[in-house]
Amino acid sequence: MKPLNARQLSAVRYLDGPLLVLAGAGSGKTSVITRKIAYLIGECGYQPQHIAALTFTNKAAREMRERVSQLLQGQSAKGLVISTFHHLGLQIIRRECGHLGLKSSFSIFDDTDCLSLLKELLLKDLASAEDQLQRLAALISTFKNQFLTPAQAQAAASTPDEMLAARVYEDYQRSLRAFNAVDFDDLIMLPTQLFEQNPAVLDKWRRQIRYLLVDEYQDTNNMQYHFVKLLIGGRGCLTVVGDDDQSIYSWRGAKPENMALLQQDYPNLQVIKLEQNYRSTNTILTAANALIANNPHVFEKSLWSEYGQGDPIRVLATANDEAEVERIASEILLMAAHANLRFRDFAVLYRGNHQARLLEIQLQAHQVPYVLTGGTSFFSRVEIKDLMAYLKLLINPDDDNAFLRCVNTPRRKIGPSLLEALGRYANTAGVSLLAACTHLGLAGQLADNQRDKLQEFGGWMNQKRELMERGDGLTVVRELLDDIHYDDWLRQQASTPAAAERAQGNVQTLLDSLQRSIEKARGNDEDDSLEAAINKLILRDLLEQQEQEEETNRVQLMTLHAAKGLEFPVVFIMGMEEELLPHRNSMDGGSVEEERRLAYVGITRAQRSLTFTLARQRKQYGEWLETTASRFLDELPQELLAWEGRGGDRSPEQVKARGKQALARMKSLFD
């Protein structure tokens, strides 16, 4: 407890009822959660298996587990749950699948699977309208996160897209059950529905989870709020940590008002504010406080730190967007040279990914190394999707989406017309596509050579599944890949030998990951089946989409949304203009408050130096358009800002002196 300040210590020790820790940016909220877990186990007599801590990313969960392990200093933490909402939901579904009408071998559909299912349900109506399919998938996800049934969604629908999505929603859910599958949103929706409808199951889980901690509570949606409320009931064994000023995910269904609802649902709620910041100078914090004060608040707070006043915040107004990115690149070089900074100490944040295009060109021209967040997911690579389809079909023979990918990978001369005939038969017989391959009734529907191809594939897959259930699952998977000569297939499909080697390496990486997962589960006395390891892999990808964990000496380029939870010594926020930040859509839709929270998040990422940039002109569709400085700059204390390029703010002599100074600095880089 020694590193904690007085308010953090109060939050750790408070156990007299439900607690809301209002944790400002950089105020040490993770320390509060991890030390409270250690306090519950070490001093309050709680058994680890009766404590659960929930967050939103696998990375955050891993960091918490590591910290708690260090704090417990050798004490057992066996059974302690520190996970994402979705991972806990998956565990509940696995243990209660009988109550949910699912077989234990259920599949988890990813985004691609869900879009394929929607396309099938809509037949040829939207066969080529991929963007509309995406919108419908997003709307169905929104219905689920709002905890709406198909009937309630139909009653609430008002636009044509909403009406169509609400109609498809019921068929979509029915099809998922027919495939013995769930989607990502079901991982929380199904346990929540089960808790509502089965008091005995709810009581069992309340006895299991006797103290619950929730991180980033401002990011919970309606369904997650309801899940927590059911699990806690009338007990006071709840600590939630959050900051309504950092709620920037409304497009995911996040409801910052859930923090205010806590006071209604728990009248004895205790609120402890963490306002001391351990990250930034007071100039940066004063600017952040002033900006966010323009939003309405249920809970007021004001950040401060012991790091002194710090440097003024710079605002660089440039002639156009090309000059803006050139200035950012040159400033990074100058600051790195004169302040003894590494490139990884710099971050450039922006509202939309498109803003990075010109910046990348300039950084390359200046030979500044950088990393752009949001790369291709490991699990989105063709070879990994192929292997995952086989794995899904091995553990769930009812997964028709997986079947359709496997049946012609590599090619087996089973064409679309044959698959269409197989689908008609499977629908009539009420069985999966894989099961239909070996049905006797198929004989009268297809020519002998067609039936033989399907029976050969179906019999082979059934044999592999039986071997997997009887023995070493990973050995069976390797034999499966040998049977289909998958290495040869990758070489045939690859553009170069090097690309084939990379693809083969990716397959081996996936197999090694499964092996490690099985061995770890075995060591922890958990389910060490191949099925459990595969489901963990699927869930991990859905949650993190291949998080970049490596630390390299490169400038970090990312959106303001992606920067949440991170911190950097030097931060540039580019594009401080109306219609960029705040974004045009928010201005039209009346959601400028969330844009202000987004700017607040960006400001509070900076530790020592913060610079805003803007362009007086931007090129759009080949034309130069005049811009207007962001209203958020006007809302900052002007005495904290050092403007450059605003016009009239420097004399010609000052401009000339500034130019000479810049040339001298550039020259010193070569000394």
Side-chain angles (χ1 to χ4, degrees), residues 283-301:
T283 293
I284 293 168
L285 297 178
T286 301
N289 290 334
L291 176 70
I292 206 64
N294 290 278
N295 276 3
H297 286 83
V298 175
F299 305 103
E300 298 287 347
K301 68 179 184 306

Side-chain angles (χ1 to χ4, degrees), residues 35 48 52 137 176 181 185 193 222 246 322 329 364 422 437 466 471 582 641 662:
R35 290 176 190 277
L176 282 176
D185 297 315
Q193 289 176 333
N222 286 351
Q246 295 189 73
E322 294 174 356
Q364 289 170 0
L422 178 67
C437 286
E466 290 168 6
L641 305 183

Side-chain angles (χ1 to χ4, degrees), residues 480-495:
L480 180 151
L481 292 174
D482 287 341
D483 287 353
I484 63 176
H485 306 291
Y486 193 64
D487 275 356
D488 294 339
W489 170 253
L490 290 177
R491 278 191 286 271
Q492 292 170 24
Q493 300 301 305
S495 56

Side-chain angles (χ1 to χ4, degrees), residues 112-317:
T112 303
D113 297 328
C114 294
L115 287 176
S116 297
L117 175 55
L118 284 173
K119 199 174 211 177
E120 183 181 327
L121 290 172
L122 292 163
L123 299 176
K124 301 183 183 200
D125 296 342
L126 293 169
S128 60
E130 197 71 24
D131 56 340
Q132 191 163 8
L133 281 175
Q134 295 274 6
R135 287 199 300 273
L136 292 179
L139 284 168
I140 290 173
S141 177
T142 298
F143 295 152
K144 291 188 175 188
N145 288 322
Q146 291 175 344
F147 205 49
L148 298 177
T149 65
Q152 290 169 329
Q154 288 187 40
S158 57
T159 68
D161 272 354
E162 287 176 355
M163 292 173 187
L164 177 58
R167 287 199 302 273
V168 175
Y169 182 15
E170 186 168 3
D171 292 335
Y172 173 82
Q173 287 298 96
R174 190 182 299 115
S175 297
L176 282 176
R177 296 301 164 264
F179 294 155
N180 191 38
V182 298
D183 67 14
F184 190 58
D185 297 315
D186 283 336
L187 295 179
I188 302 174
M189 186 172 188
L190 290 179
T192 306
Q193 289 176 333
L194 180 62
F195 287 166
E196 271 197 332
Q197 297 163 9
N198 195 318
V201 172
L202 174 59
D203 185 59
K204 180 174 79 172
W205 281 93
R206 283 179 175 174
R207 291 196 306 272
Q208 173 67 39
I209 298 176
R210 301 181 187 177
Y211 203 96
L212 181 65
L213 304 97
V214 184
D215 188 23
E216 304 286 9
Y217 201 74
Q218 77 280 350
D219 293 336
T220 55
N221 57 38
N222 286 351
M223 186 165 56
Q224 290 158 339
Y225 184 89
H226 203 52
F227 174 81
V228 169
K229 186 178 175 182
L230 284 167
L231 199 51
I232 295 303
R235 304 173 297 165
C237 50
L238 174 69
T239 292
V240 304
V241 182
D243 180 6
D244 49 352
D245 289 333
Q246 295 189 73
S247 182
I248 57 174
Y249 299 121
S250 64
W251 45 279
R252 290 183 190 168
K255 300 280 186 182
E257 53 266 34
N258 283 349
M259 296 179 69
L261 279 177
L262 282 169
Q263 289 187 313
Q264 297 178 25
D265 291 332
Y266 303 99
N268 61 333
L269 179 74
Q270 175 80 0
V271 179
I272 295 177
K273 300 178 184 179
L274 303 184
E275 297 173 296
Q276 182 174 357
N277 175 282
Y278 293 92
R279 175 187 298 160
S280 308
T281 65
N282 278 300
T283 293
I284 293 168
L285 297 178
T286 301
N289 290 334
L291 176 70
I292 206 64
N294 290 278
N295 276 3
H297 286 83
V298 175
F299 305 103
E300 298 287 347
K301 68 179 184 306
S302 182
L303 297 177
W304 61 276
S305 81
E306 295 180 342
Y307 292 144
Q309 193 64 20
D311 296 332
I313 297 168
R314 301 170 70 201
V315 185
L316 307 181

